[in-house]
Amino acid sequence: MGKPTGFLEYQRLSEGYEPVPERLKGYKEFVLRLSDEDAAIQGARCMDCGIPFCNNGCPVNNIIPDWNDLVYRGDWKQAIDVLHSTNNFPEFTGRICPAPCEAACTLNINNEAVGIKSIEHAIIDKAWDEGWVLPQPAAVKTGKKVAVVGSGPAGLANAQQLARAGHDVTVFEKNDRAGGLLRYGIPDFKMEKGLIDRRIEQMEAEGVTFRTGVVVGTKDMPSRIICDAKEVVTAESLMAEFDAVVLAGGSEVPRDLPVPGRELDGVHFALEFLIPQNKQVAGDRPNPISAEGCNVVVIGGGDTGSDCVGTSYRHGAKSVTQFEVMPQPPEQENKALTWPYWPIKLRTSSSHVEGDTKREYAIGTKEFVGDNGKLTGVRTVHLEWKDGRMAEVAGTEKVYPAERVFLAMGFTNPVGGVLEAFGVEKDGRGNAKASTDGEGCYATNVAKVFAAGDVRRGQSLVVWAIREGRQCARAVDEFLMGTSVLPR
């Protein structure tokens, strides 16, 4: 694959970024796509390694060596066809996937991995530029009707596959625009929402119907759902109208931090900050939570925490500090121990370098400190492992000044009410219980009700959501027709 000696001749070239002062002026994407020539050189680095571990490292099993080779040889049209054969939305994964495929790259054993994600990004953006991404409506309609609840990556992938198989698909979304957490959880500076809009247009041309502003469940759904739904559709009505129902919602119930002072004004869940910001960027009302001039503390070291960091800098925060309860990981992983699996190592996001971000590890939050009901600081203590448990280190208590705290510690399960409305059995973590193996995969305990994505597996990556949406589509097609030609 690629040039036989390419991995010896060429070094990895990562995508560039616009300068920090420029990108902090707004919420536009700032990653600079590789030129055709640079992408071809990066494709040339793909080794003829015999066993492409990158394929298995990728949850959608992208046929990576093939499209690397095609880009190297300049056959971009064939490259997008190969890429689309396994991934409905490479413009999403090419921007926000952490690229487990690169961790599994054979070249990564003792060198820098092939820039798979940057090549994927270049392929799909060129395909859109050249007009190669077109609707693919089914030649024959089956007359079967499928309801897909949730329009995130799992729901969109599922709906597109089922529509192309000839079924009449209706997607229900509780927010006013389709896209789920792709649209409202991920800042525009990481992924602009026009990318979603053009896929929605493609899917509508393929026969998919979108109904937004609709909550599926019961009229007494919990008020904690952050949405602007104006209509409720009951589970009973969907079961009566459709031949199959796919539950593909996200995992949106955030982990809380019930320490003294939690009720203070200034302590917020991450999505309470990020969702209104994305709505503001889309032209809706201004974000009611501002970080301008504030000392900001972000509790949680993952992607959502990083999104809060970048958004806070764009608001004009005075300072940003990020807490992580675990010890600081090594700057370089032990490849002999971890390859081809995803390694634990220190990762610095683009948001971290947009200001003087202080990152504190092995730190626990003991109390939110306030004055007259408003947050003024966070009392912390350092932690260490003792006898297999985290223990406080005596004499290390400290108060960090803070007027804004964003809790970004992950999500536990789907919003309450949806699974209960359908009578779907839950697993031990509160997600929909459905197997991915054997006959009846992705099927729940309720006849003709399926579950895929975060609603089934818990919070995960966009690429896992696309995989589950695609696989579930095949399972639904088999259920409706007895057989399926959709890829699994």
Side-chain angles (χ1 to χ4, degrees), residues 56-75:
N56 290 332
C58 173
V60 294
N61 302 122
N62 275 332
I63 313 171
I64 294 164
D66 294 57
W67 43 259
N68 280 345
D69 181 64
L70 289 165
V71 167
Y72 164 61
R73 301 181 189 284
D75 192 346

Side-chain angles (χ1 to χ4, degrees), residues 17-34:
Y17 294 159
E18 290 183 1
V20 170
E22 291 301 315
R23 67 196 203 218
L24 286 182
K25 292 178 180 178
Y27 291 84
K28 295 292 186 181
E29 289 182 10
F30 53 81
V31 176
L32 305 177
R33 176 178 123 200
L34 294 181

Side-chain angles (χ1 to χ4, degrees), residues 82-119:
V82 173
L83 179 51
H84 266 151
S85 71
T86 56
N87 186 352
N88 295 67
F89 313 118
E91 62 268 50
F92 303 162
T93 53
R95 285 169 167 81
I96 60 175
C97 179
C101 54
E102 293 187 13
C105 174
T106 301
L107 188 55
N108 192 45
I109 295 174
N110 60 356
N111 202 321
E112 290 189 290
V114 174
I116 299 168
K117 180 178 173 180
S118 64
I119 298 172

Side-chain angles (χ1 to χ4, degrees), residues 136-203:
Q136 300 177 37
V140 179
K141 302 292 285 186
T142 65
K144 302 291 186 180
K145 298 173 64 178
V146 182
V148 178
V149 181
S151 67
L156 292 178
N158 183 269
Q160 185 166 64
Q161 293 295 97
L162 287 171
R164 290 175 175 178
H167 306 303
D168 293 318
V169 182
T170 302
V171 177
F172 294 85
E173 167 58 47
K174 66 181 185 294
N175 282 294
D176 60 342
R177 301 176 180 90
L181 288 177
L182 277 175
R183 183 178 295 277
Y184 289 125
I186 297 170
D188 286 66
F189 57 79
K190 282 192 172 179
M191 194 185 83
E192 293 179 18
K193 306 316 176 221
L195 301 171
I196 303 173
D197 295 335
R198 64 188 183 186
R199 281 295 184 181
I200 299 299
E201 292 176 5
Q202 179 197 34
M203 292 174 64

Side-chain angles (χ1 to χ4, degrees), residues 109-302:
I109 295 174
N110 60 356
N111 202 321
E112 290 189 290
V114 174
I116 299 168
K117 180 178 173 180
S118 64
I119 298 172
E120 178 181 34
H121 184 185
I123 293 172
I124 183 57
D125 279 16
K126 185 176 181 66
W128 279 106
D129 291 344
E130 296 293 333
W132 295 334
V133 184
L134 300 172
Q136 300 177 37
V140 179
K141 302 292 285 186
T142 65
K144 302 291 186 180
K145 298 173 64 178
V146 182
V148 178
V149 181
S151 67
L156 292 178
N158 183 269
Q160 185 166 64
Q161 293 295 97
L162 287 171
R164 290 175 175 178
H167 306 303
D168 293 318
V169 182
T170 302
V171 177
F172 294 85
E173 167 58 47
K174 66 181 185 294
N175 282 294
D176 60 342
R177 301 176 180 90
L181 288 177
L182 277 175
R183 183 178 295 277
Y184 289 125
I186 297 170
D188 286 66
F189 57 79
K190 282 192 172 179
M191 194 185 83
E192 293 179 18
K193 306 316 176 221
L195 301 171
I196 303 173
D197 295 335
R198 64 188 183 186
R199 281 295 184 181
I200 299 299
E201 292 176 5
Q202 179 197 34
M203 292 174 64
E204 288 177 331
E206 294 171 346
V208 178
T209 299
F210 288 88
R211 291 184 58 184
T212 57
V214 179
V215 164
V216 173
T218 61
K219 293 181 179 180
D220 57 349
M221 294 286 282
S223 59
R224 70 185 300 174
I225 298 176
I226 305 173
C227 71
D228 41 26
K230 298 178 174 61
E231 181 184 354
V232 175
V233 173
T234 65
E236 291 79 10
S237 65
L238 287 192
M239 295 291 282
E241 181 180 354
F242 293 90
D243 299 294
V245 176
V246 177
L247 304 180
S251 181
E252 296 180 56
V253 177
R255 287 190 178 89
D256 207 344
L257 190 57
V259 298
R262 172 64 180 86
E263 75 287 350
L264 290 170
D265 181 15
V267 183
H268 307 278
F269 288 120
L271 289 185
E272 292 176 340
F273 179 50
L274 297 176
I275 290 177
Q277 186 58 48
N278 282 13
K279 287 178 176 289
Q280 177 182 322
V281 173
D284 296 349
R285 68 184 182 92
N287 189 344
I289 300 173
S290 174
E292 183 178 2
C294 295
N295 295 293
V296 174
V297 170
V298 178
I299 301 179

Side-chain angles (χ1 to χ4, degrees), residues 381-399:
V381 65
H382 280 287
L383 306 170
E384 66 177 358
W385 284 98
K386 279 188 176 180
D387 300 324
R389 300 180 64 182
M390 296 291 284
E392 296 183 1
V393 179
T396 61
E397 286 198 12
K398 177 180 177 179
V399 175

